[in-house]
Amino acid sequence: MAAVLGQQVISLASNTIKMAAAALTVHESVSSPSSWWMSPPRPLQQELKTYTLDEVAWHWEPNDCWMVIYDKVYDLTDFLSEHPGGYDVLLEHAGRDATIAFRGVGHSQQGLVVMEKYCIGVLVKEERIYLRDES
């Protein structure tokens, strides 16, 4: 029994690593509509408030749920009950950068459009990976 369970854990870990590696792979010449998220990031909007990852980490509970996706900070507290995949999926990444998980699931472009109303800011310049500052 323990050996079978161990095998399942190893298999799950292996699949997770493969998904993360695939999500981090950068494709410069992608033109298919299904790969919209691989396109270069748009310039940063200057009016957004900035947060550090440490500040985001304090918001990890169901009644106060923030996360980072593509260097933008989202307050998803009110969205938890509306998320099609269930609130527990979001809570797994609450208070952290959820970009790889977001990409790995294969959200549509509409997913980012819906999320824009929950955007409360961006990461400080030193902690950004995806957004660029045109100033």
Side-chain angles (χ1 to χ4, degrees):
M1 177 79 169
V4 172
L5 183 58
Q7 197 87 11
Q8 290 174 340
V9 169
I10 291 171
S11 177
L12 179 61
S14 174
N15 289 340
T16 302
I17 291 169
K18 287 176 188 175
M19 283 177 45
L24 290 173
T25 303
V26 178
H27 300 281
E28 295 296 329
S29 61
V30 175
S31 60
S32 69
S34 64
S35 299
W36 59 270
W37 50 265
M38 291 187 217
S39 61
R42 285 178 275 177
L44 177 61
Q45 299 170 340
Q46 297 299 325
E47 65 274 0
L48 293 175
K49 184 173 179 187
T50 58
Y51 298 94
T52 64
L53 287 169
D54 193 43
E55 289 173 301
V56 173
W58 287 95
H59 304 273
W60 55 272
E61 299 177 291
N63 62 343
D64 185 19
C65 178
W66 292 12
M67 65 181 62
V68 174
I69 299 175
Y70 293 112
D71 296 336
K72 290 186 176 182
V73 179
Y74 296 91
D75 181 348
L76 299 175
T77 307
D78 295 335
F79 181 67
L80 287 177
S81 62
E82 300 173 25
H83 186 253
Y87 68 92
D88 53 331
V89 175
L90 294 177
L91 289 176
E92 287 179 30
H93 303 284
R96 295 184 281 178
D97 189 320
T99 305
I100 292 175
F102 183 86
R103 289 174 68 168
V105 171
H107 285 92
S108 67
Q109 187 169 10
Q110 185 63 25
L112 279 177
V113 172
V114 168
M115 286 179 40
E116 279 308 305
K117 70 180 178 179
Y118 300 104
C119 183
I120 59 170
V122 295
L123 289 178
V124 293
K125 190 174 184 178
E126 301 79 30
E127 295 181 348
R128 292 181 201 152
I129 298 172
Y130 302 97
L131 293 175
R132 61 180 189 262
D133 190 354
E134 297 270 320
S135 59

